[in-house]
Amino acid sequence: MANPLLTAVSGMDAFQSWMNVIGNDIANVNTVGYKASEVNFANTLSQVMSSGSAGSTTGIGGTNPIQIGTGVQLNQVTPNFTQGGSDNTGNSSDLMISGNGLFALGATTTSPTPTEYTRAGNFTVDSSGYLVAPNGDYLLASTTPGGTPDTAIDVGSNSYTIGQDGTITVNDGNTPPPTYYLSLANFPNPSGLTNAGTNMWTAPAGGNQGAVTYGQPGTGSIGTVQQGYLESSNVDLTQEMSNMIQASTDYDGSSKLINTVQSMYQYMLQQV
């Protein structure tokens, strides 16, 4: 027979996990480019007490199976990649993607290849003149519009402009001036990316994100780039507070179920 105590415990575990996700979302309400997570649950395998049967040929109706559920389990925690709000910072190194796509980053300046991706465009210029993310990774661009990102962006101590199409022009006085082209990464299923922390995502081999493609901002389904802006977190505090109340109520209900089952067991023992 299904154990009601274990069923209730599964509920407490699931709702505690939901509360952890809610807490993380609320904690990151001011994190640049942060994507909130959505939680889905699934029932566990039911215990079949009696199998169903078809009706007989004499006109007697059939019977449905008798099944008792054994609890709930966490089925999916999915990042929501909908667009966050926009903050006007006025900083030339701050970039925001308006629409689909992610910035590609690499760990080196010598023949760099994309190893991480981000929606957080709070870049700075390091001591060597390269545009870098807060974790030190280099923002990558291409030498041709829409090409694979393979070049770290060296602006030196010069001023520079970044167009909505991702064209980076370095104003160093040379003719023609040094030019780079941001290519944004696009995945069939960005929710399948792995969260690596520090606002970074990785695309592991065999992951569910699909094959990456790169495109020039403003072309196809790729979003545009806005210089001097940052994408804010897409956490909806009102929704998160509502979810927190729901998770707390559900957790409390599972806890009360345990107390009720214990009282039933104690009563039965007293009758022995």
Side-chain angles (χ1 to χ4, degrees):
M1 180 179 291
N3 189 329
L5 286 176
L6 296 180
T7 300
V9 168
S10 75
M12 295 179 71
D13 286 342
F15 300 133
Q16 178 63 61
S17 296
W18 188 16
M19 190 68 80
N20 291 342
V21 173
I22 294 168
N24 187 61
D25 284 347
I26 293 176
N28 284 282
V29 68
N30 293 315
T31 299
V32 175
Y34 177 79
K35 300 304 176 187
S37 295
E38 298 176 349
V39 172
N40 293 303
F41 300 102
N43 64 310
T44 56
L45 186 66
S46 296
Q47 184 175 20
V48 179
M49 308 299 293
S50 175
S51 299
S53 62
S56 69
T57 57
T58 58
I60 299 176
T63 58
N64 295 325
I66 298 175
Q67 304 174 89
I68 298 178
T70 56
V72 64
Q73 61 184 346
L74 191 65
N75 190 40
Q76 196 175 50
V77 180
T78 306
N80 178 1
F81 271 84
T82 58
Q83 183 83 35
S86 60
D87 293 328
N88 186 349
T89 67
N91 295 327
S92 58
S93 61
D94 286 340
L95 303 176
M96 182 186 78
I97 300 173
S98 181
N100 296 327
L102 297 97
F103 297 110
L105 298 102
T108 66
T109 59
T110 304
S111 301
T113 57
T115 55
E116 293 185 312
Y117 305 90
T118 188
R119 289 282 300 192
N122 51 332
F123 302 107
T124 57
V125 179
D126 71 2
S127 59
S128 298
Y130 289 94
L131 284 173
V132 296
N135 71 345
D137 281 355
Y138 297 94
L139 176 62
L140 300 185
S142 174
T143 55
T144 58
T148 300
D150 57 5
T151 304
I153 302 167
D154 182 4
V155 298
S157 58
N158 308 293
S159 64
Y160 53 94
T161 58
I162 303 177
Q164 292 188 3
D165 64 352
T167 301
I168 303 174
T169 303
V170 182
N171 304 312
D172 65 352
N174 291 318
T175 304
T179 303
Y180 302 90
Y181 301 94
L182 284 177
S183 288
L184 300 183
N186 199 26
F187 294 89
N189 176 33
S191 295
L193 293 169
T194 298
N195 191 333
T198 64
N199 290 336
M200 297 296 163
W201 301 87
T202 59
N208 196 38
Q209 70 280 346
V212 62
T213 57
Y214 297 98
Q216 182 180 4
T219 62
S221 61
I222 303 294
T224 57
V225 174
Q226 310 295 327
Q227 185 177 22
Y229 287 83
L230 289 176
E231 181 184 6
S232 58
S233 168
N234 69 351
V235 172
D236 184 341
L237 265 182
T238 301
Q239 182 63 54
E240 296 297 338
M241 296 301 290
S242 175
N243 291 343
M244 183 171 62
I245 293 171
Q246 182 67 58
S248 177
T249 301
D250 294 345
Y251 185 92
D252 187 52
S254 294
S255 175
K256 283 183 169 56
L257 176 58
I258 290 178
N259 293 334
T260 300
V261 173
Q262 287 178 328
S263 297
M264 292 171 61
Y265 286 168
Q266 290 174 355
Y267 177 79
M268 285 188 293
L269 288 174
Q270 291 171 0
Q271 306 310 307
V272 176

